Amino acid sequence: MKKLLLIAAIGLFTVSSLTAQSAKFGVTGGLLNVNADVKLSALGFDIANLDAINKTGFYVGLIVDIEATEKLHIQPELTYGSAGDLSYIYLPVMAKYYVADKFYVQAGPQLSFSSNLDDVKGTIRDLEGVLGTETNIDDVLKTVGIDLGFGAGYNINDNFAVQARYAFALTDRYSGPLGGALDIKEGTINVGVAYFF
């Protein structure tokens, strides 16, 4: 995972360096809310839908704004987020479209790397214990996920911006013996500021 993060960081800054004349670098941070649902189903029917996690914390990181056109910008980020016992590293690449002078909407993919999923593991252990399918949770819980994010933001001035984003998981993090019967889907909300140098 460390190699993957290093490659992602190098790629982020290489792309930004190639377009340095139209790129702004900065830092970002704010409030993070993580919500994870665990759904158990059989024969097409939902048996249980558990709100396994709903935790609030923070995120901090690096941000780049690359101007593709006057209205369309590309915004890669590399952030660390922590909420309760959960911790993640996020690599979103947002397409920003200015619908007004300083107001923009954004959407794009996001890679999420989990470094601690103890709360999710506890919920799965409980479910597998009841169903008699106990496994080594570390072997069946994926640490990398792909999300889709969308949101909006506003440039206060040339240096400061505020933004809010919701991202939901496109991938299931569970690959254990319950297979398609057990789905883990996460969603994140982040509201924060960005400062560009």
Side-chain angles (χ1 to χ4, degrees), residues 8 11 26 43 60 65 92 104 110-111 164 172:
L43 302 172
V60 294
D65 181 280
Y104 58 86
Q110 170 177 280
L111 284 177
D172 184 5

Side-chain angles (χ1 to χ4, degrees), residues 36-189:
D37 293 327
V38 177
K39 184 172 79 170
L40 184 63
S41 59
L43 302 172
F45 297 101
D46 288 347
I47 298 171
N49 195 355
L50 306 172
D51 187 15
I53 298 167
N54 192 344
K55 303 265 177 141
T56 301
F58 69 93
Y59 74 95
V60 294
L62 304 173
I63 187 170
V64 180
D65 181 280
I66 304 167
E67 183 179 339
T69 68
E70 185 178 341
K71 289 193 171 282
L72 180 65
H73 293 216
I74 306 300
Q75 182 174 286
E77 301 175 17
L78 180 61
T79 61
Y80 168 80
S82 177
D85 293 332
L86 304 171
S87 56
Y88 296 88
I89 294 174
Y90 297 105
L91 182 61
V93 179
M94 295 289 120
K96 291 171 37 177
Y97 184 76
Y98 283 85
V99 294
D101 184 32
K102 296 182 177 186
F103 179 74
Y104 58 86
V105 293
Q106 59 180 226
Q110 170 177 280
L111 284 177
S112 61
F113 307 90
S114 57
S115 55
N116 183 356
L117 292 175
D118 286 345
D119 287 345
V120 176
K121 290 177 184 178
T123 302
I124 294 172
R125 277 192 195 97
D126 292 344
L127 280 173
E128 287 193 339
V130 169
L131 299 173
T133 57
E134 295 183 33
T135 59
N136 183 349
I137 300 300
D138 292 327
D139 293 339
V140 298
L141 201 58
K142 300 173 189 171
T143 58
V144 179
I146 300 172
D147 309 330
L148 180 62
F150 57 92
Y154 182 79
N155 293 338
I156 297 170
N157 57 37
D158 287 342
N159 298 103
F160 280 102
V162 293
Q163 63 181 8
R165 183 184 309 145
Y166 174 73
F168 60 91
L170 297 175
T171 54
D172 184 5
R173 298 244 179 180
Y174 178 79
S175 63
L178 295 175
L182 183 64
D183 288 331
I184 301 171
K185 294 292 176 87
E186 294 176 326
T188 59
I189 297 172

